[in-house]
Amino acid sequence: MSASDQVDVADAAALLAAASDVTLLAHVNPDADALGSALALGLALQRRGATVRVSFGYPAEIPASLRSLDSAGLFVPATDVPPRSDLLVALDTGSVDRLGPLGDRVAAAPVSLVVDHHVSNTRYGSHNLVDDRAEATAVIVARLLDALAVEIDEPIARCLYAGVATDTVSFRFAKPETHRLAARLLEAGVDGAALIRGLMDSHPFAWLGMLAAVLGAARLEPDAAQGLGFVHAIVRQTDSAGVRSEEVESVIDVVRSTAEAEVAAVLKETPTGDWTVSLRAVGRLDVRSVAVRFGGGGHRLAAGFTGRGTADEVIAGIRDALATAPAAT
Ligand code: 5GP
Ligand code: MN
């Protein structure tokens, strides 16, 4: 797709306004920004009279911590997504492979709209609304809702707030205009404290034991990452048995707080023995470049990829890539 397929908010809103049957897709293993963006836009289009459905490639259900976002029951499992719909919208998904088994729906749709904030976005839609300066895809969706003149009521606001809060790490990386958006969402009735606690601050007791085992075996390499420090931890299948994906995904947020390390990595073992890898940087090194080297992607300071081989081999690969990683600026 060429750069001419880039559309502005008004063009994208016109496409959305004209569609009567819309499939909205988030990336596989969706986070609050991907799913919240899809549900917020889905709710708005449903109010305008369209038939809508929201899905993602896997898992087959909405993760427990995100279930409260789907107040209208818009979610359908990937197996129930029709082969073709008038308009296909992919949200927070930088490349078509991140749609997993639903990637084929993009080419099958007569019109496809990609709404995203990843700098690496490959512009795989027939129309692409990509703004890599937006801190969250939900910020772009809020602009679309304003262009559509849809009232942002509490159920829609809840979805947007969840996306913005997650991608800005509880507003830490939010620009002033994004704080203004958050204020609007709170004024629409969102209970921010309760929503954030449910999304990222509440775990079953078993989480404590899992964290103790995983963090107890974490390793710090002060000389790695160009002398800026590299910390890593491994979540094996035996550690994650009995806890939800939310507990596993939370580990990186603890590991990344290590003061001696610019870069943090968490390797999460999959049932097939591969590794889902989360990378974070504080602000000096670009970890997206590391993820891209192994077929992944993301943002400069938060990226990921799927690694193969032993955990030691994957860590060695990251260590090598960090030695020549570009600066984050
Ligand atoms: P997380 O570590 O929270 O799963 O992901 C951090 C960032 O990297 C997110 O923006 C996410 O979309 C991106 N990311 C994670 N895994 C992959 C991957 O396998 N491929 C690509 N392209 N991006 C990924
Ligand atoms: Mn996002």
Side-chain angles (χ1 to χ4, degrees), residues 27 95 98 118 249 268 277-280 295-299 302-306:
H27 59 73
S95 52
R98 294 276 290 154
H118 287 89
E249 296 309 316
K268 297 158 279 186
V277 180
S278 286
L279 297 171
R280 299 290 185 272
H299 308 281
F305 68 94
T306 297

Side-chain angles (χ1 to χ4, degrees), residues 25-236:
L25 300 180
H27 59 73
V28 295
N29 294 320
D31 58 10
D33 190 34
L35 187 64
S37 293
L39 287 169
L41 190 52
L43 282 169
L45 297 178
Q46 187 181 55
R47 299 230 169 106
R48 293 178 48 92
T51 300
V52 304
R53 63 197 71 77
V54 169
S55 193
F56 42 80
Y58 50 80
E61 291 183 348
I62 299 182
S65 62
L66 302 179
R67 249 166 241 164
S68 71
L69 301 182
D70 190 15
S71 55
L74 298 185
F75 170 72
V76 300
T79 47
D80 292 351
V81 173
R84 186 181 179 286
S85 45
D86 296 348
L87 175 61
L88 188 289
V89 187
L91 297 115
D92 197 45
T93 305
S95 52
V96 72
D97 57 296
R98 294 276 290 154
L99 293 172
L102 292 176
D104 63 353
R105 302 305 198 276
V106 177
V111 182
S112 53
L113 173 65
V114 169
V115 181
D116 188 29
H117 71 130
H118 287 89
V119 67
S120 56
N121 190 288
T122 59
R123 273 84 172 164
Y124 54 93
S126 62
H127 298 72
N128 301 281
L129 179 62
V130 179
D131 178 1
D132 58 35
R133 288 156 310 167
E135 304 100 314
T137 299
V139 170
I140 308 172
V141 170
R143 292 179 201 147
L144 281 171
L145 300 187
D146 286 344
L148 286 164
V150 172
E151 185 205 341
I152 298 186
D153 59 9
E154 194 279 333
I156 293 177
R158 196 191 311 166
C159 292
L160 296 176
Y161 193 92
V164 175
T166 297
D167 273 32
T168 60
V169 196
S170 303
F171 298 100
R172 238 167 282 174
F173 301 121
K175 292 182 256 200
E177 67 189 90
T178 305
H179 282 280
R180 280 192 281 273
L181 170 62
R184 255 181 90 190
L185 301 176
L186 293 173
E187 281 160 2
V190 174
D191 183 343
L195 185 58
I196 289 184
R197 179 164 168 83
L199 282 175
M200 49 190 121
D201 259 355
S202 145
H203 297 282
F205 181 67
W207 179 64
L208 300 183
M210 187 272 275
L211 272 187
V214 167
L215 299 180
R219 290 286 168 265
L220 173 68
E221 302 187 30
D223 298 330
Q226 305 172 30
L228 299 172
F230 173 37
V231 62
H232 44 84
I234 302 168
V235 185
R236 299 185 188 277

Side-chain angles (χ1 to χ4, degrees), residues 273-304:
D274 293 333
W275 303 95
T276 304
V277 180
S278 286
L279 297 171
R280 299 290 185 272
V282 178
R284 296 179 62 185
L285 289 183
D286 177 351
V287 289
R288 191 179 74 83
S289 69
V290 177
V292 166
R293 189 189 289 201
F294 300 107
H299 308 281
R300 290 172 309 130
L301 305 181

